[in-house]
């Protein structure tokens, strides 16, 4: 446990459409980390929210015949409802239209202007609305329409006066910081990508739009700026990470420990944002960690590509924890993954129903059958002369050291590996039952009965530890396990290093319920 708050953030999602699998993925990872740190006893502040300004939203609202604010107000609850469905528990949900955020952004603009960090200039170039990004120059093959280098969609030609934030003066400083601090950008492939990008001089960042072209943003405070400008998207939204903790008077939660993002928004987070903080005189976050994309049919899942998989529908079919488990298990952090129902079905049946579900079900069934539903106390009974009884050396003790290995995996954002470790233990547990054959022991002599009691006690303790280790990943299932094992209190009050607690389960009355992952009828595909 440490005193410093574990402050972690997700991106603020655009409210031009309801959330999809991509948004769910980042937020599930954040929730998993938040829960893990809570179990460690760290104070946690988990921030998510919505990015509501910009042309994209103004256009989507116009198409729907609504004002941008009314349009955003209608979409925000779809995000909040999804986090609820997915058992994601943020500590705070920020909206870039919040009055406190607006005031904080305006203050940051005043500070930068006073420090001489902003200049006015005429801009001429191309603009990509889906990416909300300017491209000063593009190579356009003769006869072809100019397209965005990032998303390959059409761009528009634009010329206007705007305010700019020069990045180049900070480039050397940023390169040094990234080189000196291995933790700053994760994984290392992304760190190298940013360092390569920083080999070239940086263009000034355009931070305003004339109200005539875009009205849906935060007004630049006038004075010191000329009237008739708004700031929006990157400059506005990135600042949420500090306005959420009190900027201009940031409290002890800043700097954040982790900005979790998708690789699509690495540059704004790993280049613009650190430079903005540096120019404002604020300390940098510890880590920016970028995950890969979920692809469907080889393409990034996105609204504009029309290949959205609705999380609510998948959860309705497979359950929330199967969804969380699949996303955290299937793909190594940082790499792209492909979503398919066939792959989900496989994980559901083999990992969740067969391995985990069975381990709990068989154990509880045996405790019911052989021990009257009470977890046996494995201490030798006094007054009865039994032959010397010693635990075999090769015995089943997956609890020892597992928590430590899991912590290392969390530290490396390696959720897939963490789950692989846990499932190795689960498989050992099932194999141990097959090897010990409690049903044979149950028919044996006094020594066999004592061995049976010990096996079932060990399994209960192991399942108790599993419930704790799994809580960050699949909290509803963990809580069901906890309840069925008859464990007292709440998992979240147990500390990570007390997950494996030999003897803790002795005497508990189990409450066997329905299987954790009921068999599914094969679906038509
Ligand atoms: N509003 C900006 C972020 C501002 S942060 C200060 C934005 N919003 S977004 O709605 O487009 O969300 C982008 C994020 O959603 C990605 O970084 C990632 O976290 C998630 N994903 C969106 N589509 C995704 C996939 N297909 N796959 C994985 N995650 C993706 O950018």
């Amino acid at each position: 446990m440490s005193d410093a708050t574990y402050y972690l953030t997700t991106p603020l999602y655009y409210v031009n459409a309801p959330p999809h699998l991509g948004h769910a993925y980042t937020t599930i990872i954040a929730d998993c980390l938040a829960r893990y740190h809570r179990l460690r006893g760290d104070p946690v502040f988990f921030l998510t929210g919505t990015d509501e300004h910009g042309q994209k939203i103004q256009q989507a609202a116009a198409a729907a015949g609504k004002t941008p604010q009314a349009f955003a107000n209608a979409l925000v609850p779809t995000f909040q409802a999804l986090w609820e469905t997915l058992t994601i528990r943020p500590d705070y949900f920020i909206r870039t239209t919040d009055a406190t955020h607006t005031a904080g952004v305006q203050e940051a603009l005043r500070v930068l202007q006073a420090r001489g960090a902003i200049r006015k200039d005429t801009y001429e170039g191309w603009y990509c609305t889906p990416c909300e990004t300017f491209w000063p120059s593009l190579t356009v093959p003769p006869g072809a329409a100019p397209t965005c280098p990032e998303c390959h969609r059409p761009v528009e030609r634009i010329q206007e006066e705007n305010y700019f934030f020069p990045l180049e003066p900070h480039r050397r400083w940023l390169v040094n910081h990234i080189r000196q601090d291995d933790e700053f950008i994760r994984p290392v492939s992304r760190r190298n990508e940013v360092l390569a990008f920083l080999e070239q001089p940086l263009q000034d960042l355009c931070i305003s739009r004339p109200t005539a072209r875009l009205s849906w943003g935060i007004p630049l405070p006038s004075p010191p700026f000329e009237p008739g400008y708004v700031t929006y998207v990157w400059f506005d939204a990135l600042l949420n990470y500090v306005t959420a903790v009190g900027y201009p008077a940031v409290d002890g939660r800043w700097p954040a420990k982790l900005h979790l993002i998708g690789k699509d928004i690495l540059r704004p987070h790993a280049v613009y944002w650190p430079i903005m903080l540096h120019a404002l005189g604020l300390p940098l976050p510890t880590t920016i960690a970028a995950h890969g994309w979920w692809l469907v049919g080889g393409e990034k899942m996105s609204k504009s590509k029309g290949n959205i998989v609705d999380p609510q529908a998948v959860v309705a079919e497979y359950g929330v924890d199967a969804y969380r488990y699949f996303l955290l298990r299937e793909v190594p952090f940082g790499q792209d993954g492909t979503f398919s129902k066939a792959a989900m079905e496989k994980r559901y049946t083999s990992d969740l129903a067969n391995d985990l579900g069975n381990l709990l079900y068989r154990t509880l069934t045996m405790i019911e059958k052989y021990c009257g539903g009470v977890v046996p106390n494995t201490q030798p009974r006094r007054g009865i002369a039994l032959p010397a009884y010693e635990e075999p050396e090769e015995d089943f003790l997956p609890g020892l050291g597992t928590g430590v290995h899991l912590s290392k995996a969390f530290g490396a954002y390696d959720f897939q590996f963490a789950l692989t470790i846990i499932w190795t233990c689960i498989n050992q547990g099932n194999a141990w039952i097959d090897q010990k054959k409690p049903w044979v022991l149950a028919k044996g002599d006094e020594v066999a009965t004592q061995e049976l009691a010990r096996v079932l006690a060990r399994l209960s303790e192991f399942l108790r530890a599993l419930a704790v280790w799994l809580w960050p990943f699949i909290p509803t299932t963990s809580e069901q396990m906890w309840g069925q094992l008859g464990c007292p209190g709440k998992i979240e009050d147990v500390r990570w290093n007390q997950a494996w607690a030999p003897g803790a389960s002795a005497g508990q009355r189990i409450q066997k319920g329905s299987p954790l992952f009921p068999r599914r009828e094969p679906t038509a595909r």
Side-chain angles (χ1 to χ4, degrees), residues 24-33 86 88 323-324 327-328:
Y25 180 52
T26 317
T27 322
I28 287 172
I29 294 178
D31 186 67
C32 177
L33 279 165
L86 295 173
I88 291 169
Y323 190 67
R324 288 177 65 117
L327 296 185
L328 293 165

Side-chain angles (χ1 to χ4, degrees), residues 87 319-326 352 473-478 517:
T87 52
V320 55
D321 280 349
Y323 190 67
R324 288 177 65 117
Y325 176 76
F326 178 80
L352 296 171
F473 303 93
I474 46 173
T476 311
T477 303
S478 287
F517 296 94

Side-chain angles (χ1 to χ4, degrees), residues 24 77 85 108 123 193 281 298 309 324 337 398 428 444 452 485 493 498 502 513 524:
T85 299
Y123 175 85
E193 186 184 313
V309 178
R324 288 177 65 117
Q428 282 172 12
L452 171 67
L485 288 161
D493 298 329
Q498 294 156 2

Side-chain angles (χ1 to χ4, degrees), residues 12 14 20 22-23 26 51 234 262 264-265 291 293-294 301:
L12 295 199
Y14 287 133
H20 62 66
H23 309 120
T26 317
D51 187 352
W234 289 113
D264 49 336
I265 54 175
H291 62 67
W293 285 341
W294 283 95
M301 185 184 297

Side-chain angles (χ1 to χ4, degrees), residues 58 150 192 212 225 228 288 315 340 354 377 414 421 462 471 523:
Q58 186 170 292
E150 293 261 331
N192 294 340
F225 298 91
I288 298 155
V315 170
S340 77
N354 289 354
N377 186 337
D414 200 342
I421 296 173
F462 170 53
W471 191 70
T523 46

Side-chain angles (χ1 to χ4, degrees), residues 22 24 138 181 216 228 270 353 370 373 429 483 488:
L138 292 178
D181 187 350
W216 186 231
Y370 306 131

